[in-house]
Amino acid sequence: MKTHSIQFKFLITVISAILAIATLVGGISTYEVDNYLKQHTEEFVEISCSNEASQVNSILGNIENSVRIMESYVLSMLKSATNLEDHTYREEVLRSAGEMFANVAANTDGALSYYFRFDPAISDNKSGMFYSKIDGSDEYVCL
C-alpha cells in the first residue's frame, strides 16, 4: 500500500470541502431563486391580468354606453309600435337609425358589428340591418 503525503491528504480534504460547500450553496441558491421567481411571477401575472381585465371592462363599458345611446335614440324616434306596421315609416326609422348606428359604432372602441331589427310581430321578417367588420378591416360591411 502506498501512503500519501500529508500535503496530498490535506489537498483532497480542502477540495472535498470546497465541492461540498459549492454544492450546498448552489442548492440553497437554486431553491431561493426558484421561490423568488415563483412569488414575483405570480405577482406579475396578477397585476397583468388585473390591468387586462380593466381594459376589457372599459371597452365593454363603452360598448354598453353606445348601446344605451342607440336605444334612447331609436325609442325617441318611435311614436308607437303600430306606426312600424307602415312600411314607409319603418324604412325611414331604419335609415335614420342606420346613420346614427354607423356614427356611434365608428366611434366606439371594440365594436366589431352592430345590428338593428324590428320585432317580426309588428313588421315583416326582413326589416333590419346587420353590419360587421370583416377580416380585421376598419370598414363595416352590410351582411
Side-chain angles (χ1 to χ4, degrees):
M1 265 192 165
K2 186 175 178 183
T3 59
H4 296 288
S5 70
I6 198 125
Q7 187 179 14
F8 181 74
K9 290 178 182 177
F10 183 73
L11 183 63
I12 294 296
T13 305
V14 169
I15 290 174
S16 297
I18 289 172
L19 288 175
I21 290 171
T23 303
L24 179 68
V25 169
I28 291 172
S29 297
T30 302
Y31 175 77
E32 290 298 323
V33 166
D34 186 51
N35 283 341
Y36 178 83
L37 288 176
K38 281 182 184 175
Q39 178 184 0
H40 283 43
T41 301
E42 286 175 9
E43 290 174 9
F44 175 75
V45 168
E46 196 173 299
I47 290 169
S48 295
C49 288
S50 177
N51 288 341
E52 293 295 323
S54 294
Q55 289 177 352
V56 169
N57 284 339
S58 176
I59 289 170
L60 292 177
N62 289 339
I63 291 172
E64 189 175 347
N65 286 336
S66 294
V67 169
R68 285 191 186 118
I69 289 168
M70 289 313 306
E71 175 190 29
S72 175
Y73 177 75
V74 170
L75 289 176
S76 71
M77 288 181 0
L78 299 176
K79 296 175 180 119
S80 76
T82 56
N83 289 356
L84 290 175
E85 293 172 4
D86 176 25
H87 178 71
T88 307
Y89 179 75
R90 191 171 55 243
E91 289 301 316
E92 177 59 30
V93 169
L94 191 60
R95 184 197 60 73
S96 182
E99 291 172 4
M100 184 69 160
F101 272 55
N103 187 24
V104 171
N107 292 299
T108 302
D109 289 337
L112 300 176
S113 63
Y114 62 92
Y115 73 95
F116 177 73
R117 183 165 184 230
F118 296 108
D119 184 353
I122 58 174
S123 69
D124 62 27
N125 285 334
K126 296 182 181 181
S127 288
M129 65 179 145
F130 181 76
Y131 285 81
S132 182
K133 292 181 178 179
I134 297 181
D135 296 329
S137 98
D138 289 337
E139 300 277 330
Y140 288 98
V141 177
C142 181
L143 301 174

